[in-house]
Amino acid sequence: LKVGLAGLGTVGAAVARELSVKSELLAERSGRSIEVVAVSARDKNKDRGISLEGIEWFENAVALAESPDVDVVAELIGGSDGIAFDVVKTALERGRHVVTANKALVALHGVEIASIADEKGVALNYEAAVAGGIPVIKALREGLVVNRISRVFGILNGTCNYILTNMEATKRPFTDVLKEAQDLGYAEADPTFDVDGIDAAHKLSILAALAFGARVDFDGVYCEGIRRIAPVDFEYAAQFGYRIKLLAIAENSEDGVIQRVHPCIVPINTPIADVNGVSNAVIAEGDAVGQTVYEGPGAGDGPTASAVIADIVDIARGLIQPAFMRPASRLAPLQRGDLSQRVGAFYLRLGVLDRPGVIAKVTQVLAEQEISIGSFVQRGVTEDGAVNVVIMTHTTTEAAFGRALSAIESLSEVVEKPCKIRVEDF
Ligand SMILES: NC(=O)c1ccc[n+]([C@@H]2O[C@H](COP(=O)([O-])OP(=O)(O)OC[C@H]3O[C@@H](n4cnc5c(N)ncnc54)[C@H](OP(=O)(O)O)[C@@H]3O)[C@@H](O)[C@H]2O)c1
């Protein structure tokens, strides 16, 4: 099986290395030899720690995708559009199998490119696009095939999980820990996609399409990042028996599927609360199997190459299946559920002026929306000299909490933007 690698960065170079070092093992396991015959990247002279001897170099990655000498094109460049999209589309149109690690591309153009793959009878595999080294696409597409999935959720962004874990452990603010993550290579120079939840939303939309048999609906994901979380939130959460995680959740509701990415307060004794550092975890709940939990490294050269190569080996073994479990033409639009009807409890941290009557006003607003208070803590002063007030509500709806929050924000005594975190009792 002749492989062309478009992109030789962190992932591409690791794929080239593993395919070379493990060539005998892979030939035994897949029943045929797998060989890299073509590569493309921007800089031909960069030392990538791998030998490119005897491998054809393409200045233009699209020309690699067009090459008749290549059976499988692995797109390892990145980005939802531009060169990555051109490479994948061209390869599929030419009847080449495609393997990609590119979640942005699959989230935004998954159905379009899956249609071309169907038409040409070739594979479009993207295991590495979601949760890095954890074979979660395979689990949903194959292992859980008989199940009706009611919910799939997890920690899908290692950068955010690293930041939250370290903020909790060291009590340092978000900006400090983000800087450290950047220095260690866990976060990009522009961290927006990670810390604002967009990367997790890309991955969630792919999982939801598979789990619920629908078109990928990235625009339908509600998305909130972790910038508003402060070190004190971890202390308060711990006091109530909880921990803070950025979760991506897709679940069936009465009127459709709700997809959401946001910080969550989760009970300390649940499996998801124990996933720390750059690790990822996915939990899928099916009617036949019940709850299944997958955990492991969600990024990095080795783990991502492991997933990319598993996709290549599937092709070597002749396992060609529709990208989203059924032909793209038979995927209905995802029926969206109404997030405002979601029922759950909330954690709310307010910075308020130290004046008599403030708490009464806040509780009055909550009472007007029929929201009762489970716990209440008032302790310490904020950087601006305001008093920190933390409230854990009882169960309410998103809509009612949203109305209460707007009213609380407009109180003159509330001097900082409130921090709200949803409580998820999985
Ligand atoms: N890194 C991870 O842990 C990880 C995990 C899961 C998924 N992914 C996904 O894997 C993909 C690759 O990520 P990465 O971390 O390996 O990125 P990377 O280190 O930045 O590598 C990107 C590669 O693409 C090449 N490239 C850029 N523009 C090109 C062009 N116009 N023509 C040909 N080659 C071009 C670069 O060439 P030069 O080397 O010459 O600059 C580089 O080799 C992305 O979709 C990413 O989201 C990454």
Side-chain angles (χ1 to χ4, degrees), residues 83-102:
I83 183 78
F85 178 74
D86 293 343
V87 165
V88 167
K89 192 160 181 257
T90 304
L92 293 171
E93 281 170 347
R94 300 284 166 127
R96 315 275 178 266
H97 302 288
V98 166
V99 171
T100 179
N102 188 337

Side-chain angles (χ1 to χ4, degrees), residues 5-14 39-46 48 57-62 75-80 82-84 87 100-105 127-133 188 199 203 298-305 308:
L5 300 177
L8 277 178
T10 306
V11 181
V39 292
S40 178
R42 278 178 301 206
D43 181 356
K44 193 174 179 182
N45 299 317
K46 201 188 258 184
R48 302 169 193 276
W57 176 273
F58 282 84
E59 289 297 331
N60 179 352
V62 176
E75 182 280 303
L76 306 168
I77 297 173
S80 61
I83 183 78
V87 165
T100 179
N102 188 337
K103 51 259 171 167
L105 175 78
E127 183 64 72
V130 182
E188 305 278 339
D199 174 78
K203 295 166 181 169
D301 56 352
T304 313
V308 169

Side-chain angles (χ1 to χ4, degrees), residues 323-405:
F324 295 100
M325 222 173 347
R326 65 190 78 185
S329 59
R330 297 224 304 271
L331 293 167
L334 186 92
Q335 193 180 335
R336 292 183 189 172
D338 181 2
L339 179 60
S340 71
Q341 298 309 310
R342 173 193 165 263
V343 171
F346 285 85
Y347 164 102
L348 179 63
R349 173 172 50 82
L350 304 171
V352 302
L353 293 179
D354 193 7
R355 276 191 205 151
V358 180
I359 303 306
K361 282 192 188 175
V362 171
T363 51
Q364 168 73 21
V365 170
L366 290 169
E368 279 164 14
Q369 296 302 327
E370 297 181 8
I371 300 170
S372 52
I373 295 174
S375 317
F376 176 95
V377 183
Q378 179 180 345
R379 188 161 57 93
V381 276
T382 72
E383 282 172 10
D384 307 327
V387 176
N388 259 329
V389 169
V390 172
I391 295 167
M392 290 281 274
T393 75
H394 279 307
T395 300
T396 179
T397 63
E398 285 273 334
F401 187 81
R403 286 191 295 270
L405 188 58

Side-chain angles (χ1 to χ4, degrees), residues 155-183:
I155 293 173
L156 297 180
N157 185 274
T159 306
C160 285
N161 207 45
Y162 173 86
I163 293 172
L164 294 176
T165 304
N166 278 275
M167 283 177 73
E168 181 179 11
T170 63
K171 300 184 169 51
R172 282 179 301 150
F174 168 79
T175 41
D176 278 20
V177 181
L178 170 63
K179 168 88 178 46
E180 178 189 279
Q182 286 168 324
D183 292 344

